[in-house]
Amino acid sequence: MITTANTTTVYVPAPDGTPLATDLCLPDAPGPHPAVVIRTPYGRTAHRAELRGWAAHGFAALAQDVRGRHGSPGPWHPYRDHEESDGAATVAWVREQAWSGGPVVAVGSSYAAHCALVAALGPRGDGRPDAVIAAVPALGLADTAREPAGPERLRARAGWWAAHGDRSDSAPDALARALADDPRLLEHLPVARLADRLGRALPSWPGLWDDRPRGRIVRRASASRLPLLAVGGTHDPFAEDTVALWRGWGGAARLLLGPWGHRLTADRPAIAADRVNLGALYVRWARAALAGRLEPERRGVITLGGSGRWHGVRHGDAAPGPVESSTRTTTWPFDARTGLRLLHGAEFTADPARPVRSDDLAVPAGTTPADRCLLLSPPLPRPLDLAGPATARLHATADTPAADWAVRVTALDPAGRAEPLAFGIVRRADPPGEAVEITVPLGTLGRRLPAGTRLRTEIAGHHFPAHARNPHTGENPVTATRLAPSRRAVTARGSALHLTVVARRRYVEPVPEICR
């Protein structure tokens, strides 16, 4: 046992006896106390300030290194082994301690949210917590590897696996260093052998791409009756997984979708009213959840980023609907005076040798042949509040047996500055040359667009390096080594962008709405 600055390091036995390094911080007042358990691969010591915060509010707080990481011995197999059983053993151990009052809240962000969820969805008994807080949840191996419609998340997975995979510690800048040495690293084919160029053994990389169904945790969640707080960001790549978890949860569930990225920080300076003290919210919500004071329904709030306003949502049998304000779907038809005007690229070539890049918002003007379809709206006559799902519906043709369709919507402010607004990508295998209707989900938006904003919409065949290139041959993009161009055509008639807008502006305060 090691004690440092109010934190004691203990070793909690896993079911097979593996000692899991755990930092424990207890309140100054005598117990018993409710407990908070955080299980993480990113290093338990990074949570010591958080543990002290929980303890200051009367919770026994624990942060544990998962098996095979940092202070905990054993093999590290992300998402595959031990997380459910090790989590259950830890929760059961907490309940056996003299300082424990019994109730346990499982808490985590990203992979740690996965750990919290699998413990919460495990068998009934002492190993199941009483409530769960899942922030920007990475729901599982398949869920993180691919988009719901199939395309591989190349850049993010290469970065995560280079930093954390098959090692007991972390090297957060591993991919950046590799790219400095080889700027074309992510172009290496086949994708399954990309790890060979990272300079160290990464045997789990090929298995990341093995076909397996997505959504296992969401399907299990429907049977849960525990309280859930799901926290996400409109700029987080896992935002739709956060929303799907909330929608599918069987018990009292709350959604907080703020103007944040995966680190729960804003990409640009946020106005004061957009900010939420997540630590204080977690404590207040945990107390309400453990006391049984939450209303037994699924409700939440979505940011209207840039306005300081929050929009209330409630989930019933259909898509989320408003609590205290109404929404409607607005349609922006292609090549219409009041919709999106076609600038160029009604016919374009998606060439994986020269893909449209995800890391560059600049749009080349007048390229021949065109590499994307490009459309632009008139300036908005008045501010527009977006709160809810967005989709693009395309009438389009590809001359190859496989095709990805990427849609990127960018907000151009009155000064012409570009900021990402929405993105979606789907994989199709339609008969070559046959016109088809394609629906591309663009995620859940939460944003206020000022008057004068223009919406620029790009339709392309690639979004690289964020996503692996489709080779257009029908081969698996992970194992393919041969690439072919794909000729595309987008028909304006019947194609449109659909956005959910707030029709009547009656707003909510985020913290009281989440905690009632």
Side-chain angles (χ1 to χ4, degrees):
M1 181 181 294
I2 303 170
T3 302
T4 58
N6 301 321
T7 300
T8 299
T9 299
V10 298
Y11 292 86
V12 176
D16 64 354
T18 299
L20 303 176
T22 307
D23 280 359
L24 168 65
C25 188
L26 296 176
D28 291 333
H33 311 288
V36 167
V37 172
I38 303 166
R39 303 190 63 254
T40 177
Y42 304 122
R44 71 189 191 281
T45 59
H47 291 275
R48 285 182 173 170
E50 183 180 355
L51 300 188
R52 291 194 293 271
W54 281 105
H57 288 89
F59 289 80
L62 300 88
Q64 182 180 89
D65 290 329
V66 300
R67 182 187 298 252
R69 294 286 288 171
H70 300 280
S72 294
W76 163 233
H77 298 306
Y79 300 101
R80 295 181 184 272
D81 302 324
H82 301 300
E83 302 302 13
E84 183 173 324
S85 58
D86 287 357
T90 300
V91 172
W93 180 88
V94 167
R95 289 200 168 105
E96 294 171 353
Q97 306 310 302
W99 42 260
S100 171
V104 176
V105 182
V107 177
S109 297
S110 193
Y111 188 97
H114 171 81
C115 295
L117 287 165
V118 294
L121 299 175
R124 294 180 181 274
D126 289 344
R128 181 191 286 184
D130 301 282
V132 58
I133 299 173
V136 290
L139 294 183
L141 194 66
D143 306 77
T144 60
R146 286 183 170 85
E147 298 288 351
E152 297 80 9
R153 290 167 165 159
L154 176 62
R155 176 62 174 80
R157 291 302 87 197
W160 194 90
W161 244 255
H164 310 294
D166 298 304
R167 60 190 301 158
S168 61
D169 59 354
S170 291
D173 61 346
L175 182 60
R177 293 200 312 268
L179 286 170
D181 294 337
D182 180 6
R184 301 187 65 179
L185 170 69
L186 295 176
E187 298 177 32
H188 177 67
L189 296 176
V191 170
R193 298 291 302 276
L194 180 67
D196 296 350
R197 297 198 170 192
L198 290 176
R200 70 174 183 85
L202 196 59
S204 67
W205 173 259
L208 167 66
W209 309 108
D210 290 345
D211 288 335
R212 58 180 64 82
R214 300 176 94 258
R216 184 177 65 91
I217 283 181
V218 172
R219 288 190 293 274
R220 294 175 64 188
S222 64
S224 177
R225 296 297 177 265
L226 302 182
L228 166 75
L229 173 57
V231 179
T234 54
H235 300 285
D236 174 35
F238 298 148
E240 288 312 288
D241 288 340
T242 306
V243 174
L245 178 70
W246 169 72
R247 287 178 180 168
W249 198 263
R254 300 295 183 267
L255 172 70
L256 176 68
L257 200 63
W260 312 308
H262 192 66
R263 296 180 181 274
L264 294 178
T265 55
D267 297 330
R268 59 177 181 169
I271 64 175
D274 277 343
R275 300 189 183 107
V276 174
N277 184 331
L278 290 178
L281 170 62
Y282 288 0
V283 168
R284 181 170 168 178
W285 182 89
R287 285 175 174 161
L290 295 181
R293 294 198 303 267
L294 296 178
E295 296 176 5
E297 58 186 347
R298 283 166 285 177
R299 64 189 312 133
V301 294
I302 298 177
T303 181
L304 296 175
S307 72
R309 303 290 189 177
W310 295 79
H311 179 70
V313 294
R314 179 170 53 217
H315 182 65
D317 295 330
V323 175
E324 296 188 24
S325 60
S326 63
T327 60
R328 56 182 173 84
T329 299
T330 61
T331 299
W332 301 68
F334 288 10
D335 208 19
R337 184 175 60 85
T338 58
L340 298 171
R341 180 171 59 91
L342 177 67
L343 298 182
H344 73 261
E347 296 183 357
F348 67 94
T349 299
D351 187 349
R354 294 183 295 276
V356 171
R357 295 190 64 90
S358 59
D359 51 8
D360 187 357
L361 286 181
V363 175
T367 55
T368 303
D371 66 351
R372 73 197 79 185
C373 178
L374 182 64
L375 305 107
L376 186 67
S377 78
L380 294 176
R382 61 187 64 85
L384 188 67
D385 284 348
L386 305 176
T391 58
R393 288 193 172 88
L394 313 177
H395 285 257
T397 305
D399 73 345
T400 49
D404 289 353
W405 294 89
V407 178
R408 180 168 67 182
V409 183
T410 303
L412 305 178
D413 72 11
R417 290 184 293 264
E419 186 172 355
L421 178 64
F423 173 78
I425 185 169
V426 300
R427 178 160 295 160
R428 301 279 297 204
D430 300 304
E434 182 174 310
V436 294
E437 182 175 305
I438 302 165
T439 298
V440 184
L442 301 177
T444 301
L445 307 188
R447 186 80 164 272
R448 171 168 290 177
L449 300 177
T453 299
R454 292 174 178 260
L455 302 182
R456 187 180 72 198
T457 299
E458 301 163 71
I459 303 164
H462 297 99
H463 188 244
F464 177 83
H467 297 88
R469 294 168 292 173
N470 191 319
H472 299 143
T473 60
E475 300 172 88
N476 185 341
V478 173
T479 57
T481 57
R482 183 172 62 92
L483 305 176
S486 174
R487 290 189 295 275
R488 311 289 181 90
V490 177
T491 302
R493 184 178 178 85
S495 297
L497 176 67
H498 302 276
L499 304 177
T500 303
V501 303
V502 177
R504 289 198 302 272
R505 296 173 179 170
R506 295 165 58 193
Y507 305 111
V508 298
E509 292 297 324
V511 174
E513 187 69 18
I514 290 291
C515 294
R516 67 186 180 96

